[in-house]
Amino acid sequence: MSFNDSTVKKNVCFALAQIAKHNQDLASAVVDAEIFPEVFNRLKDVDSQVRKNAATLIREICKRNDNMAMAVVNGGGVSPLVDFINDSKGTSAINGLPAIMTLGFIAAWHETLATAVIQTKGVEALLRVLIEDQEHHLKGAAAWSLGQIGRHSEQHAFALCEKETLSKLLAV
């Protein structure tokens, strides 16, 4: 995935996401092709479609099973996802949707993964979407992801409460 043409990069990410979305074995094959950390670097690409397709690819991998989500976390993928969400504002906010959902899929698997999302400031990024973005489906995705983070334990719920998540959810 180390080429400079934006059309090629966005189509490669798109193709890999389409392969990974069908089942766990295909998603594993994509991961086994050693796409990390290069795909995380695509979240900072100058082309917005490359960034969106890279986030979509990561989402399709994370929703398969906890091992795949752990591979993203262990590969350092949560922080670039959070940065991508924070950078997706205004007219490009819709491009952040796959990354918003990815944080929820990662957190949903188990408390260790939810903790990783908390520690990389994922809660703050999701709250920013909830408060600032105008698109209702982005707000809904952020609320769902926050729920996935807080569902595991009292400590996870407390981490959300420390950020005044409850009042912000109720204000939507």
Side-chain angles (χ1 to χ4, degrees):
M1 289 181 52
S2 57
F3 23 80
N4 293 322
D5 186 286
S6 289
T7 302
V8 174
K9 290 187 286 189
K10 76 178 175 185
N11 287 330
V12 167
C13 289
F14 178 81
L16 292 172
Q18 295 306 305
I19 292 167
K21 79 177 185 179
H22 291 289
N23 65 46
Q24 186 171 320
D25 291 336
L26 292 170
S28 289
V30 171
V31 171
D32 290 345
E34 299 181 9
I35 62 168
F36 304 136
E38 186 60 36
V39 73
F40 304 142
N41 296 333
R42 296 291 174 233
L43 294 170
K44 290 284 188 187
D45 197 274
V46 295
D47 187 294
S48 64
Q49 196 62 47
V50 172
R51 294 190 304 268
K52 180 181 178 184
N53 289 358
T56 301
L57 169 57
I58 299 166
R59 181 196 65 206
E60 294 301 331
I61 289 166
C62 287
K63 72 181 192 180
R64 287 287 148 212
N65 64 42
D66 61 336
N67 290 330
M68 303 244 187
M70 185 65 79
V72 169
V73 170
N74 289 341
V78 178
S79 186
L81 286 163
V82 170
D83 291 344
F84 177 60
I85 292 168
N86 286 328
D87 293 342
S88 298
K89 298 177 183 174
T91 57
S92 67
I94 189 65
N95 289 341
L97 181 60
I100 294 166
M101 298 298 296
T102 302
L103 293 185
F105 283 123
I106 290 170
W109 289 109
H110 53 75
E111 61 186 61
T112 305
L113 294 171
T115 299
V117 173
I118 293 167
Q119 291 174 340
T120 55
K121 307 234 181 271
V123 172
E124 291 85 343
L126 294 169
L127 287 174
R128 187 207 54 80
V129 171
L130 194 67
I131 295 164
E132 295 177 11
D133 281 317
Q134 301 302 312
E135 300 288 336
H136 295 290
H137 57 284
L138 294 176
K139 290 177 181 285
W144 176 82
S145 290
L146 288 164
Q148 299 307 309
I149 294 166
R151 75 184 204 164
H152 294 287
S153 71
E154 182 179 325
Q155 291 80 17
H156 291 86
F158 185 74
L160 294 179
C161 290
E162 284 183 317
K163 305 293 181 198
E164 300 180 13
T165 303
L166 300 177
S167 61
K168 293 170 182 170
L169 283 167
L170 292 171
V172 172

